[in-house]
Amino acid sequence: FDGLYYSYQGNCTYVLMEEIKQTIHNFGVYLDNYHCDPAQSVSCTRTLTVKHESQEVRLKTVQLIPLKVEVTVNHVAVALPYEKYSVKVYKAGINHVVELHRLKINVTYNGMAFTIRMPYSDFANNTQGQC
């Protein structure tokens, strides 16, 4: 959220963003990395997960070249565009986008990088994690 670049090279799941004081039920963004080159300490993103209320959207990188991303909602594969309740998932160019309408949150993922956009007025001084 500060516009700086961070390197995530661990073989684990990172909490990218969660609320400190839970004002929005079950909201968080997580990144699952794995060591993709055993000869080097380099990690690749396996899955970006967005949780909100009873829905868990997973964007899983199945193949990097050409990019293939599998989208599941609550562990069930879905076709894009997908929309249910206040969650919308779609493709925009090379990016997969998860929008949470009610919260005015936009998460993009292209298999290698991500962005999280959210209103400062609702989340200021109430976030924790890597972002």
Side-chain angles (χ1 to χ4, degrees):
F1 299 117
D2 55 14
L4 299 175
Y5 173 81
Y6 294 92
S7 178
Y8 301 96
Q9 297 303 320
N11 188 25
C12 59
T13 299
Y14 290 95
V15 174
L16 296 178
M17 204 284 325
E18 288 181 328
E19 290 183 293
I20 296 169
K21 182 180 177 192
Q22 294 291 319
T23 59
I24 298 164
H25 180 67
N26 194 33
F27 174 70
V29 183
Y30 310 90
L31 187 71
D32 181 42
N33 281 358
Y34 70 101
H35 285 269
C36 50
D37 184 353
Q40 300 179 22
S41 60
V42 175
S43 292
C44 295
T45 301
R46 182 185 346 248
T47 308
L48 181 93
T49 303
V50 179
K51 291 183 181 182
H52 174 47
E53 294 180 343
S54 63
Q55 295 193 78
E56 180 179 288
V57 178
R58 288 180 179 239
L59 306 175
K60 181 178 181 181
T61 304
V62 178
Q63 181 177 308
L64 274 176
I65 303 172
L67 180 64
K68 184 177 178 185
V69 174
E70 176 185 82
V71 179
T72 62
V73 177
N74 296 336
H75 306 286
V76 176
V78 297
L80 300 183
Y82 168 89
E83 188 167 5
K84 190 169 184 180
Y85 306 119
S86 68
V87 176
K88 183 176 182 180
V89 186
Y90 59 92
K91 261 194 99 171
I94 63 168
N95 291 313
H96 285 74
V97 181
V98 178
E99 284 186 3
L100 305 175
H101 302 291
R102 230 178 10 198
L103 303 178
K104 299 180 188 116
I105 293 174
N106 178 292
V107 179
T108 62
Y109 176 68
N110 68 14
M112 297 177 68
F114 64 88
T115 61
I116 303 170
R117 290 185 176 88
M118 54 195 347
Y120 180 82
S121 58
D122 295 333
F123 293 94
N125 300 315
N126 192 32
T127 60
Q128 62 185 358
Q130 298 296 318
C131 294

